[in-house]
Amino acid sequence: MTALALSATVASGLAECVRARPLLGTLVEIAASGDTADTVQTAISNAFDAVERVHQLMSYQAADSDISRINRGGFERPVTVARHTWHVLQAAARFSEASDGLFDITIAPTLTKLGFLPRHSDFPRISGQGNWRHVLLLPDNQVRLARRLRIDVSGIAKGYAVDLAIAALQEAGMYSGRVNAGGDLRVFGETAQIIHVRHPGSPTQMLPVVELRQGAAATSAGYYTQRRYQGRMVTPLINPHTRVAAEVQRSVTILADDCMTADALTKVVHADPHSAVGKLSQFGARALMLEADTASGGCRVFDTSSLYPAAWRTRVIT
Amino acid sequence: MSNFDRWLMVPALIIPAAASAPAFAVQYMNVEQAQKVLFPAADGFEAKTVVLSAEQKRAIEASSGVRVRVNEVKAWHATQGGKALGWFLLDEVYGKHEFITYAVGIGADGAVKGVEILDYRETHGSEVNNAKWRAQFTGKKAGDTLQLDEDIKNISGATLSCKHITDGVKRLLATCATVLK
């Protein structure tokens, strides 16, 4: 067998390596380059540990995660969670506030109804009222639900996991690195990398859209996650105000400094592209929206960079 | 398009042409490398391939809830100075269109130590059924630049259903408990 990626030492004496593991319900790929093959391996293992920690703490599926413990007992009494979970919930509240609720972690019951999240028989019934404002963050990492709600942080935790993994690579002294968790990716290092996005109308084709040297890109689209519900195709991208799922044939890519921001903002843009435009600048983010152009077989790209040309170290490839 | 007049204004048109990558195939590791990653302390790996009897198959299916499609279990017993560390199991599951090769390390306590993807060959579209297209992979060695490999590194929006791998791990845990002692 050939060793294509692992421990392939390049001419400069740098060791490079790329590994993949199934985590967060997707394939997480981590690549890094450093001084020796051993330090690179250790750094990547540490990065995977960070992703695994987020997976264990914030999975909606796992019965013993912080999120499941909140969903089970958060209305009755405050639940103490890990620092990471607390941090993600705090960020979620910030994104909800800034987007007038277009980002909302309390859409979990809608996702369950549409079949995107499992039913847990031991979770209490929900009241059908309330939103992100009723997730109370109390001192000492305690969380309480002011209404009978169910929360799901999968719209943001994947990005957070990518950020933690990147931090682990940097702490280990890597020269460059890349973490890609099924659409949420972040890179650092000397050379710019070309980011591809799938053609929303024919997802087997990749389009090179942007060159990225430092920072994150997150893409959300329905093409691989859509499913049939009552005769209609639905995606897990829900508008929290209307509880209606976004269209299938549009893909949204957000570029931002960190992956959690990029991840969260894809949901905001999907929910309401019009009002989202004005909200990106406060996060220093840029959005690319791809729509299939049936006449030409190509896609139309909508780009917010002309509104905020500021500090982007990226260019759009056309 | 007038719907998006507040959105921005460079509606560029990208036509997928030569630049678009048709497929997705990566080899992450070979067996020896995966063994080293999953059992870094081990100094010996004894290959022990097991052929499952019909009865064992039924027992594994019953306890894991996953169908056993292949009778052969590719296992290695990992040891350090003669002391048992656990089992290294090599397996394949279906991705979307093609097999994903992966390895699971199971410690002496019966718990998963890690899962590593060895080969990921997600291939799409008609190009892949073309023998000529497939032939471009043959003979590639370490250090060779695969044009495709260059193009698939940074796909934002690529999602893989990990259900099959999850089921595979469940099946291997049951296999380990049933036939590897």
Side-chain angles (χ1 to χ4, degrees), chain A residues 2 19 29 196 219 273-274, chain B residues 3 7 14 27-28 116 154 156:
Chain A
T2 56
R19 277 164 56 184
E29 192 188 75
H196 291 71
T219 301
H274 299 277
Chain B
N3 297 354
W7 250 86
I14 293 183
Q27 180 180 42
Y28 291 102
E116 290 284 340
N154 306 309
S156 181

Side-chain angles (χ1 to χ4, degrees), chain A residues 1-7 18-23 25-27 29 38 41 48 178 180 182-183 185 187 193-199 204-209 217-219 223-224 250 253 269 273-275 277-278 287-289 291 293 296-307 317-318, chain B residues 1-17 19-34 36-38 96-97 113-120 124-125 127 140-144 146 149-162 165-166:
Chain A
M1 244 185 264
T2 56
L4 234 177
L6 191 100
S7 310
V18 51
R19 277 164 56 184
R21 286 185 170 191
L23 281 167
T26 185
L27 187 77
E29 192 188 75
D38 277 354
Q41 283 300 349
F48 273 122
R178 173 181 88 240
N180 187 354
L185 77 93
V187 297
Q193 309 197 29
I194 295 172
I195 308 297
H196 291 71
V197 172
R198 290 181 187 275
H199 188 311
T204 58
Q205 281 184 296
M206 327 290 184
L207 304 168
V209 291
T219 301
Y223 33 74
Y224 283 147
R250 179 188 293 168
T253 300
V269 173
H274 299 277
S275 63
V277 172
L288 293 166
M289 188 163 69
E291 280 189 321
D293 185 90
S296 68
C299 358
R300 285 201 294 268
V301 182
F302 298 88
D303 183 354
T304 55
S305 66
S306 55
L307 296 175
I317 299 155
T318 47
Chain B
M1 216 183 298
S2 56
N3 297 354
F4 295 113
D5 41 354
R6 284 195 53 218
W7 250 86
L8 23 152
M9 310 349 352
V10 231
L13 188 69
I14 293 183
I15 311 255
S20 66
F24 202 115
V26 196
Q27 180 180 42
Y28 291 102
M29 294 184 181
N30 63 30
V31 173
E32 292 76 35
Q33 289 164 334
K36 203 175 158 224
V37 161
L38 290 172
K96 274 199 177 66
H97 306 280
K113 284 174 65 71
V115 179
E116 290 284 340
I117 309 287
L118 275 73
D119 275 290
Y120 182 73
H124 300 286
E127 301 91 342
K140 290 288 180 195
K141 286 198 213 67
D144 286 359
L146 268 168
D149 190 30
E150 281 308 302
D151 280 343
I152 54 142
K153 275 182 179 164
N154 306 309
I155 302 162
S156 181
T159 317
L160 163 87
S161 158
C162 284
I165 295 179
T166 310

Side-chain angles (χ1 to χ4, degrees), chain A residues 49-285:
Chain A
D49 288 347
V51 176
E52 216 153 314
R53 209 144 52 229
V54 174
H55 183 114
Q56 281 162 5
L57 289 174
M58 296 176 226
S59 160
Y60 186 91
Q61 279 81 359
D64 56 350
S65 71
D66 279 355
I67 298 302
S68 287
R69 290 194 301 117
I70 294 170
N71 283 334
R72 214 177 293 117
F75 181 72
E76 307 294 335
R77 73 199 87 80
V79 175
T80 306
V81 299
R83 183 174 53 86
H84 287 304
T85 313
W86 170 268
H87 187 74
V88 166
L89 289 171
Q90 202 178 32
R94 205 168 63 233
F95 290 119
S96 300
E97 180 87 62
S99 66
D100 302 325
L102 283 178
F103 182 87
D104 194 330
I105 56 171
T106 66
I107 56 163
T110 308
L111 293 172
T112 304
K113 191 183 82 183
L114 296 178
F116 292 110
L117 288 178
R119 273 174 212 284
H120 292 287
S121 52
D122 60 334
F123 282 7
R125 292 186 148 273
I126 51 152
S127 66
Q129 287 175 327
N131 56 35
W132 63 274
R133 288 179 198 281
H134 301 105
V135 181
L136 308 179
L137 301 175
L138 311 175
D140 302 322
N141 294 355
Q142 296 200 87
V143 182
R144 226 195 130 161
L145 302 176
R147 298 277 164 91
R148 291 187 179 275
L149 293 169
R150 240 173 267 154
I151 60 167
D152 166 43
V153 291
S154 45
I156 181 171
K158 206 151 61 118
Y160 183 71
V162 169
D163 289 333
L164 280 190
I166 287 282
L169 294 181
Q170 285 172 329
E171 264 166 46
M174 296 295 105
Y175 300 129
S176 67
R178 173 181 88 240
V179 179
N180 187 354
D184 288 357
L185 77 93
R186 184 167 166 185
V187 297
F188 72 92
E190 281 305 298
T191 49
Q193 309 197 29
I194 295 172
I195 308 297
H196 291 71
V197 172
R198 290 181 187 275
H199 188 311
S202 96
T204 58
Q205 281 184 296
M206 327 290 184
L207 304 168
V209 291
V210 77
E211 219 173 58
L212 195 61
R213 185 159 62 203
Q214 186 90 33
T219 301
S220 286
Y223 33 74
Y224 283 147
T225 49
Q226 57 180 311
R227 53 179 295 149
R228 193 169 288 281
Y229 174 75
Q230 295 182 347
R232 203 164 56 86
M233 292 313 276
V234 292
T235 66
L237 300 156
I238 312 292
N239 181 330
H241 296 333
T242 60
R243 302 266 157 163
V244 171
E247 287 169 41
V248 174
Q249 298 230 326
R250 179 188 293 168
S251 109
V252 169
T253 300
I254 305 284
L255 305 171
D257 286 332
D258 67 89
C259 202
M260 179 166 68
T261 303
D263 196 7
L265 291 177
T266 57
K267 281 78 191 176
V268 176
V269 173
H270 263 296
D272 188 349
H274 299 277
S275 63
V277 172
K279 290 167 181 134
L280 296 169
S281 59
Q282 56 182 302
F283 294 102

Side-chain angles (χ1 to χ4, degrees), chain B residues 50-160:
Chain B
V50 180
V51 178
L52 298 173
S53 67
E55 195 190 334
Q56 288 170 325
K57 246 174 96 167
R58 272 196 301 276
I60 293 164
E61 286 178 346
S63 65
S64 67
V66 182
R67 252 194 83 186
V68 178
R69 288 171 198 279
V70 185
N71 286 336
E72 201 184 74
V73 181
K74 289 183 185 135
W76 283 261
H77 195 214
T79 53
Q80 183 188 16
K83 202 177 130 254
L85 292 181
W87 291 93
F88 176 92
L89 300 165
L90 188 68
D91 192 36
E92 281 185 333
V93 287
Y94 246 129
K96 274 199 177 66
H97 306 280
E98 303 245 345
F99 281 114
I100 299 168
T101 310
Y102 70 104
V104 181
I106 298 176
D109 58 351
V112 173
K113 284 174 65 71
V115 179
E116 290 284 340
I117 309 287
L118 275 73
D119 275 290
Y120 182 73
R121 334 168 175 84
E122 205 48 63
T123 47
H124 300 286
S126 55
E127 301 91 342
V128 295
N129 296 321
N130 182 331
K132 222 169 148 187
W133 186 86
R134 283 173 179 269
Q136 63 185 348
F137 289 102
T138 48
K140 290 288 180 195
K141 286 198 213 67
D144 286 359
T145 309
L146 268 168
Q147 189 56 49
L148 272 166
D149 190 30
E150 281 308 302
D151 280 343
I152 54 142
K153 275 182 179 164
N154 306 309
I155 302 162
S156 181
T159 317
L160 163 87

